[in-house]
Amino acid sequence: MGFPILPHYQRAKMNSKLQNLRFERVKQDIVFQTMSLYYNVMYTGRLLVVKQDNLKWNEKNLETIKERNRLGAATLADVYQQEVARGNAELELIRTENDHQTAKKDFLFYLGIDVLKEYEFADSLTSSEKNY
């Protein structure tokens, strides 16, 4: 036994409700994707600052170990080990810079904005945006 045949009006009304629900879902998906891409830009930006600080610390630590080696309080192996640590910190900084640039370009591409221009991304609202 098949489905009962609905009058055209009822079928059209159900199709209209279905299309409205689909439209709302598409709007929600767009908002979610936009927020996710923006948060990724913010996350990689914060991570970039951490990696920069880590590199500075490793460079300062290398200088300290070199000086300790010069005074005879540290071995040459300690110097080499810290040079490797500094190199790894530098590599991580470069990777994070690339990830941050990629996150920004992905976000701009999703929005349909020119990815070749430079944009400033804020992680807080301005006073006029808060009032809106």
Side-chain angles (χ1 to χ4, degrees), residues 19-36:
Q19 292 305 320
N20 285 338
L21 290 173
R22 285 181 180 161
F23 178 67
E24 287 300 316
R25 175 59 192 244
V26 168
K27 286 187 340 186
Q28 290 173 355
D29 288 345
I30 290 170
V31 168
F32 176 77
Q33 185 66 14
T34 303
M35 287 174 54
S36 295

Side-chain angles (χ1 to χ4, degrees), residues 12 16 18-19 21-22 25 29 41 45 49 54 57 60 73-74 78-79 81 97-98 101-102 105 115 123 126 131:
S16 174
L18 178 63
Q19 292 305 320
L21 290 173
R22 285 181 180 161
R25 175 59 192 244
D29 288 345
V41 171
V49 172
N54 186 42
W57 181 87
K60 185 176 180 181
D78 293 335
V79 174
Q81 184 178 12
E97 286 172 344
N98 287 339
Q101 290 300 321
T102 300
K105 299 304 180 201
V115 298
D123 61 353
T126 63
N131 292 333

Side-chain angles (χ1 to χ4, degrees), residues 39-132:
Y39 286 143
N40 195 37
V41 171
M42 294 298 104
Y43 170 75
T44 56
R46 296 290 176 135
L47 193 58
L48 186 61
V49 172
V50 170
K51 298 296 181 175
Q52 289 168 341
D53 290 343
N54 186 42
L55 179 60
K56 288 176 189 173
W57 181 87
N58 275 289
E59 288 172 341
K60 185 176 180 181
N61 197 33
L62 176 60
E63 292 305 314
T64 302
I65 291 174
K66 281 183 178 179
E67 191 60 29
R68 288 180 66 213
N69 175 263
R70 191 182 68 77
L71 296 172
T75 65
L76 196 54
D78 293 335
V79 174
Y80 293 151
Q81 184 178 12
Q82 184 55 38
E83 284 179 347
V84 169
R86 189 213 43 202
N88 286 336
E90 191 173 0
L91 178 61
E92 284 301 313
L93 176 61
I94 292 168
R95 285 182 178 157
T96 304
E97 286 172 344
N98 287 339
D99 291 345
H100 186 58
Q101 290 300 321
T102 300
K104 290 193 306 188
K105 299 304 180 201
D106 288 347
F107 178 65
L108 295 173
F109 180 77
Y110 185 76
L111 294 179
I113 298 174
D114 185 3
V115 298
L116 299 177
K117 289 184 180 178
E118 285 296 318
Y119 296 92
E120 185 176 326
F121 295 90
D123 61 353
S124 61
L125 297 174
T126 63
S127 58
S128 63
E129 290 171 333
K130 287 179 184 177
N131 292 333
Y132 181 70

